[in-house]
Amino acid sequence: MATKVYIVYYSTYGHVEKLAQEIKKGADSVEGVEATLWQVAETNSQEILDKMRAPPKNSDVPIITPNQLTEADGLLFGFPTRFGMMASQFKAFLDATGGLWRTQALAGKPAGLFTSTGAQGGGQETTPLTSITQFVHHGMIYVPTGYTLGAGMYELEKVMGGSPYGAGTFAGDGSRQPTELELAHAFHQGKYFAGIAKKLKG
């Protein structure tokens, strides 16, 4: 049976979604792994989203429910940062996993994360750091990428999002898009994580 990796994300302006798509490519490159993209539900009203000038969500990616997390052999979570922590939409989704926590239904599953921030000091490390508590309470196994990307992690000449915690990008005022280096990190994370999930399942 294939190792199922669920890539679950929330994206306001599409930056996190682009990382998620690249992560899926990386996970799918591992033989015997089946990666699926999922979104969490939006909690803002359409009126607020219009004022934020947020584009429509990708209708090709289904909305996940908390109970569907149990179907996966590994879970990668992606979200933008809000003041150095995960966006409230994703927190609301995780807050709804109380039933899974009570039965420890996710215990032992590998988990990782990726993020997008507005600026270099906007939470590339604090966002993952403050999110790991979710994994701990569920008994999940946190899988960071560390420095396995190699030379790309030591890039100093170009602005690059991401960290040893996982892939990342900088959105800036919204016009900046994930760079080639950031997408390479995302692809690597998907491939690396999928390999770990496959080993743990086997």
Side-chain angles (χ1 to χ4, degrees):
M1 288 182 65
T3 298
K4 292 185 178 181
V5 172
Y6 281 6
I7 302 160
V8 185
Y9 69 90
Y10 171 76
S11 189
T12 307
Y13 296 104
H15 299 81
V16 173
E17 183 173 64
K18 285 189 177 179
L19 293 179
Q21 291 167 344
E22 204 65 23
I23 285 171
K24 183 181 187 302
K25 291 178 187 176
D28 282 335
S29 74
V30 178
E31 185 179 355
V33 171
E34 181 183 291
T36 307
L37 291 175
W38 299 89
Q39 297 183 79
V40 303
E42 178 61 77
T43 57
N44 281 328
S45 68
Q46 189 58 51
E47 181 184 3
I48 291 175
L49 292 172
D50 289 342
K51 289 180 179 179
M52 293 172 65
R53 298 178 183 169
K57 297 291 188 286
N58 187 343
S59 59
D60 292 331
V61 180
I63 303 295
I64 195 169
T65 63
N67 286 338
Q68 287 176 295
L69 295 176
T70 62
E71 302 167 1
D73 299 303
L75 294 159
L76 278 163
F77 298 130
F79 35 78
T81 186
R82 298 292 184 265
F83 302 111
M85 300 171 68
M86 71 171 68
S88 62
Q89 290 86 348
F90 213 95
K91 183 62 166 62
F93 172 75
L94 291 176
D95 283 348
T97 62
L100 301 179
W101 164 78
R102 188 172 61 252
T103 60
Q104 287 294 282
L106 302 179
K109 291 183 185 290
L113 45 80
F114 54 102
T115 191
S116 171
T117 67
Q120 293 185 64
Q124 289 285 318
E125 291 198 42
T126 60
T127 303
L129 187 61
T130 55
S131 301
I132 292 171
T133 56
Q134 311 291 321
F135 303 154
V136 171
H137 283 262
H138 277 288
M140 302 177 81
I141 302 168
Y142 175 49
V143 181
T145 55
Y147 283 81
T148 58
L149 178 63
M153 291 297 292
Y154 299 93
E155 173 60 51
L156 296 176
E157 299 301 318
K158 300 175 183 176
V159 174
M160 179 182 170
S163 70
Y165 293 92
T169 188
F170 297 116
D173 62 1
S175 61
R176 184 186 187 275
Q177 295 300 311
T179 65
E180 193 174 312
L181 274 172
E182 291 166 345
L183 293 175
H185 191 182
F187 182 93
H188 171 74
Q189 181 173 16
K191 184 177 181 179
Y192 178 77
F193 180 87
I196 298 293
K198 183 178 177 181
K199 285 179 183 177
L200 289 173
K201 185 180 180 181

